[in-house]
Amino acid sequence: MKTRITELLGIEHPIIQGGMHFVGFAELAAAVSNAGGLGVITGLTQRTPELLANEIKRCRDMTDKPFGVNLTFLPSTQPPDYPGYVKAIIEGGVKIVETAGNNPQKWLPALKEAGIKVVHKCTSVRHSLKAEAIGCDAVSVDGFECGGHPGEDDIPNMILLPRAADELKIPFVASGGMADARSLVAALAMGADGMNMGTRFIATKEAPVHENVKQAIVAASELDTRLVMRPLRNTERVLTNVAVERLLEKEKALGANIKFEDIFGEVAGVYPKIMLEGEMDAGAWSCGMVAGLIHDIPTCKELIDQIMSEADALIRGRLSGLLAA
Ligand SMILES: Cc1cc2nc3c(=O)[nH]c(=O)nc-3n(C[C@H](O)[C@H](O)[C@H](O)COP(=O)(O)O)c2cc1C
């Protein structure tokens, strides 16, 4: 399939694996890229720019296809060494960067100078238009369904994608709630040029996370996610568990007075325990409503091949068949 996104990124299929903390290691990124999609290493999961440089090298050893690096710009009093990470990306020869969080404008000149395509992930039409205006090459439009940070507008993709299509000139992919061929074809119908998946790619053979995480996603239904940190205006969609229920109790009890320190135990530094050690109640971890559509743990190639062949059948069979009469 050829879309503006496959052309822009030089990939075979219009499917991107979004950056995911303690999931987006070289093994997953390489597997997705080898299967014809775009795999993405999560920059900040690597504690230092040197470790990111090494992760990029490991990925290059596993694939000769294009892959990207995610750089998430978080509001922080002690920001990570962003100049160092940008340097590692440029010197590592990476040609695609997925930015997320705050406005990436400050970093665009250096990235563009190095011939890097920037796909900014954002959760609203106004932020998408801002990304277009500052020179991003594409956007990833993340609807309210998404795992991770859906923003504060709460607009689901059924509305957000056609709105984005009406306003944007640059290519965009649909993100949040995407799992299969139906998602891809629907996203294309709503004007997107492809799709970005997070949660679906965690439940794959190559995702280098503990088996408990994959099983938790397979076992979950679409009713099992919760929104946390809403009072802090840092909303995150997570899979419910004991720690999440405790966190929500604290939010209820403390109301508008809640501070980040109050929920430190439930959210800070929990990813390694969950993703690497499989301690599923160690804290809150991002997961999309799309868990309700995930029932198996295929390889990335099986997943992507199935999506593409079923999308073909959907378009040529079911959809054009509806017109035949
Ligand atoms: C476990 C997990 C960790 C994530 N970590 C990040 C991150 O560090 N940076 C980022 O930009 N997005 C992150 N995301 C968001 C994904 O890249 C993607 O936008 C989102 O998962 C799409 O929604 P879906 O899960 O419904 O497919 C994370 C998502 C998950 C599920």
Side-chain angles (χ1 to χ4, degrees):
M1 187 181 284
K2 203 189 234 189
T3 73
R4 293 191 297 168
I5 241 11
T6 59
E7 299 285 284
L8 177 75
L9 305 179
I11 53 178
E12 193 183 345
H13 308 303
I15 299 176
I16 301 178
Q17 166 248 313
M20 288 180 281
H21 200 35
F22 277 89
V23 181
F25 293 98
E27 286 79 4
L28 180 61
V32 174
S33 289
N34 282 332
L38 182 78
V40 174
I41 294 171
T42 315
L44 297 188
T45 297
Q46 303 300 324
R47 269 181 300 102
T48 63
E50 292 70 32
L51 289 170
L52 177 59
N54 189 49
E55 198 68 6
I56 292 169
K57 192 174 165 307
R58 284 204 317 118
C59 196
R60 176 132 314 112
D61 288 343
M62 289 185 259
T63 184
D64 51 13
K65 301 270 177 63
F67 61 89
V69 172
N70 168 286
L71 261 187
T72 303
F73 300 111
L74 302 163
S76 163
T77 43
Q78 277 190 315
D81 178 7
Y82 286 118
Y85 284 104
V86 168
K87 189 160 173 273
I89 289 167
I90 293 172
E91 289 179 356
V94 172
K95 291 294 170 211
I96 300 156
V97 166
E98 177 196 49
T99 53
N102 289 348
N103 184 329
Q105 187 161 18
K106 183 173 169 194
W107 311 101
L108 284 182
L111 296 171
K112 310 275 352 178
E113 171 90 356
I116 292 172
K117 303 276 186 254
V118 177
V119 181
H120 185 58
K121 187 165 57 195
C122 46
T123 57
S124 69
V125 175
R126 67 187 182 284
H127 292 147
S128 302
L129 285 171
K130 181 76 192 170
E132 179 176 276
I134 65 174
C136 292
D137 298 278
V139 280
S140 195
V141 176
D142 226 1
F144 183 50
E145 308 87 331
C146 74
H149 293 269
E152 312 300 328
D153 291 351
D154 304 355
I155 309 296
N157 269 334
M158 207 74 185
I159 310 297
L160 192 57
L161 298 175
R163 281 281 299 118
D166 283 345
E167 303 249 1
L168 285 170
K169 290 187 195 65
I170 55 174
F172 72 98
V173 295
S175 178
M178 304 285 133
D180 54 29
R182 296 169 299 185
S183 324
L184 177 60
V185 175
L188 295 172
M190 285 190 274
D193 301 281
M195 68 176 177
N196 178 65
M197 301 195 293
T199 305
R200 172 66 273 197
F201 275 119
I202 305 178
T204 57
K205 292 232 161 58
E206 295 95 339
V209 299
H210 197 283
E211 191 58 27
N212 291 354
V213 181
K214 304 181 189 186
Q215 293 302 340
I217 291 173
V218 169
S221 87
E222 65 276 19
L223 301 175
D224 293 331
T225 71
R226 301 286 181 270
L227 295 174
V228 297
M229 294 192 282
R230 190 117 260 204
L232 295 166
R233 291 190 64 77
N234 185 29
T235 302
E236 183 180 359
R237 185 179 298 285
V238 298
L239 192 70
T240 190
N241 62 22
V242 173
V244 168
E245 294 308 322
R246 195 168 59 231
L247 197 169
L248 289 172
E249 282 302 318
K250 288 186 191 178
E251 287 185 358
K252 205 149 85 187
L254 295 169
N257 297 324
I258 197 162
K259 291 190 208 55
F260 185 69
E261 295 80 83
D262 296 319
I263 56 165
F264 207 73
E266 283 77 28
V267 298
V270 299
Y271 269 77
K273 285 187 213 147
I274 293 158
M275 295 299 174
L276 308 180
E277 284 152 45
E279 288 177 38
M280 298 318 294
D281 285 321
W285 61 281
S286 296
C287 178
M289 287 176 159
V290 73
L293 296 176
I294 300 172
H295 312 297
D296 57 358
I297 304 173
T299 65
C300 291
K301 181 161 170 39
E302 285 163 352
L303 176 65
I304 291 178
D305 282 351
Q306 186 176 1
I307 291 173
M308 294 316 298
S309 71
E310 288 183 8
D312 192 292
L314 248 179
I315 297 166
R316 284 184 217 274
R318 180 159 198 275
L319 297 185
S320 67
L322 294 174
L323 296 174

